[in-house]
Amino acid sequence: MAKRNNISTTDFILLGLFPEFQYASLLVYLILLVYLIALTGNSILIFLIWLDVHLHTPMYFLLSQLSLIDLFYISSSVPKMVINHSLGKHSISFTGCGIQMFFCLSLGGAECLLLTFMSYDRFVAVCNPLQYTVIMNSKVCLLIAVASWTGGALNSLIQTIYTMHFPVCGLKEIDHFFCEMPAVLKLSCEDTSDYEMVVFVVSIIFILIPFNLIIASYIQIFLTVLKMKSPEGRSKALATCSSHLTVVSLYLGPGIVVYMTPGSSHTPALYQGLSVFYTILTPMLNPIIYSLRNKEVVGALRKVLKKKLVSK
């Protein structure tokens, strides 16, 4: 009952990440560490891409957009969770819940679209290199960024408004660490099966179709790479593409399970565990995956560090 003291009747109660876990504080502070690593890694990557003229290419422009999305994405859930835990609070206002849901859905949708466009960028670079600069010009890159952000935002706005309009009966306890749409829908005292079917269809558009397009792109890429005579060119292409494919698997895989399989078959712990992958772990891993396996990014970082050392 202590959780509900001084909580408005319109507020929701976020039960947190694995509320039955014995070492909840340790888990929260571990996630805070992950959050700080994600902020640092993505910020450094954006800075390097902006600073180094050699990284002013379509691939790195799209990568900077991915890092920007990840910065906002992880920031939409982790700070609130850490603050609530530190203050011993578990509440989030109705408006706050809607805003958090909007940003999570918006950024999640934008990342799905951007990852698809990034696979197309790699497809053109490997399979049609002579036309790469013509196809992936600055205008196209800008349109890709705008389409990703706008598409995610429009979808999120519609889904957030519709989800939040359902009346909630009984305790407003969300068995999650943030206001994720499936967890909030479970609180409704109305039949949401028709809307869940709409969510499934939208998930096909934003998750399954992008996933299939990405797989199709990489099948063509790998077939082209196998025909390359240069071992150096082959290894460079495989390194870049495998980094992107790893990110796609970590991000879209759990998303497919959460949004495209029957909710009744999942326990809250499974929902939360899968959500950790695409809201917390992937934003941290993205800059690490792309940086450690990319000589150009590592080279740009070394240049910056050398300049700093020389200036001292």
Side-chain angles (χ1 to χ4, degrees):
M1 293 296 292
K3 288 180 182 179
R4 302 182 193 102
N5 290 340
N6 301 320
I7 293 177
S8 166
T9 55
T10 60
D11 286 354
F12 290 98
I13 299 170
L14 290 169
L15 297 182
L17 181 62
F18 308 133
E20 303 301 324
F21 186 59
Q22 186 176 357
Y23 304 102
S25 294
L26 177 63
L27 186 61
V28 169
Y29 292 124
L30 181 63
I31 288 175
L32 177 59
L33 176 62
V34 170
Y35 175 64
L36 294 175
I37 294 171
L39 285 185
T40 304
N42 283 292
S43 298
I44 289 174
L45 194 55
I46 292 170
F47 174 72
L48 289 175
I49 292 170
W50 172 76
L51 187 69
D52 196 320
V53 68
H54 296 100
L55 301 182
H56 292 178
T57 64
M59 183 182 81
Y60 290 109
F61 171 76
L62 297 180
L63 184 54
S64 69
Q65 292 299 303
L66 181 66
S67 288
L68 194 60
I69 288 172
D70 283 336
L71 276 176
F72 288 120
Y73 200 8
I74 194 170
S75 297
S76 64
S77 60
V78 172
K80 177 64 177 176
M81 177 176 64
V82 173
I83 291 170
N84 276 7
H85 180 80
S86 300
L87 299 179
K89 290 174 58 182
H90 298 269
S91 65
I92 183 169
S93 67
F94 178 86
T95 302
C97 187
I99 291 172
Q100 188 179 61
M101 186 187 300
F102 169 77
F103 279 108
C104 288
L105 284 173
S106 178
L107 295 163
E111 184 148 343
C112 288
L113 295 173
L114 186 62
L115 288 172
T116 309
F117 287 127
M118 288 176 73
S119 71
Y120 175 72
D121 170 75
R122 293 299 83 208
F123 167 77
V124 176
V126 175
C127 301
N128 197 4
L130 297 178
Q131 295 294 316
Y132 181 70
T133 54
V134 177
I135 297 172
M136 296 300 296
N137 56 60
S138 56
K139 185 181 289 186
V140 170
C141 290
L142 185 60
L143 284 173
I144 285 174
V146 171
S148 299
W149 287 89
T150 306
L154 289 175
N155 168 63
S156 176
L157 183 63
I158 295 167
Q159 292 210 53
T160 300
I161 291 172
Y162 204 80
T163 300
M164 298 303 288
H165 101 281
F166 284 108
V168 177
C169 299
L171 298 175
K172 296 184 177 181
E173 293 183 341
I174 301 173
D175 202 348
H176 216 307
F177 62 94
F178 71 102
C179 288
E180 188 164 36
M181 183 182 60
V184 175
L185 275 179
K186 285 188 174 183
L187 303 181
S188 176
C189 50
E190 288 187 0
D191 181 16
T192 61
S193 56
D194 289 341
Y195 179 57
E196 286 173 9
M197 183 55 65
V198 173
V199 172
F200 178 79
V201 173
V202 171
S203 299
I204 291 176
I205 298 170
F206 276 85
I207 300 177
L208 196 58
I209 291 177
F211 184 75
N212 288 329
L213 289 173
I214 290 167
I215 295 300
S217 296
Y218 279 105
I219 289 173
Q220 292 297 318
I221 288 169
F222 288 132
L223 289 174
T224 303
V225 167
L226 290 174
K227 296 176 184 177
M228 287 182 177
K229 294 180 181 179
S230 168
E232 186 179 340
R234 186 185 301 173
S235 61
K236 183 179 179 181
L238 286 175
T240 304
C241 295
S242 61
S243 297
H244 183 63
L245 204 53
T246 302
V247 169
V248 168
S249 302
L250 288 171
Y251 183 74
L252 292 183
I256 289 172
V257 178
V258 170
Y259 286 93
M260 300 198 66
T261 55
S264 57
S265 64
H266 303 147
T267 62
L270 178 62
Y271 261 134
Q272 293 176 33
L274 292 171
S275 297
V276 166
F277 267 93
Y278 53 80
T279 59
I280 298 175
L281 292 181
T282 303
M284 178 198 72
L285 292 173
N286 280 353
I288 296 173
I289 292 170
Y290 279 108
S291 300
L292 293 180
R293 305 193 66 180
N294 193 306
K295 293 180 181 179
E296 292 173 324
V297 173
V298 173
L301 181 59
R302 283 174 180 167
K303 285 180 187 177
V304 171
L305 293 176
K306 279 182 181 179
K307 286 181 180 179
K308 289 290 182 183
L309 290 173
V310 170
S311 64
K312 287 182 180 180

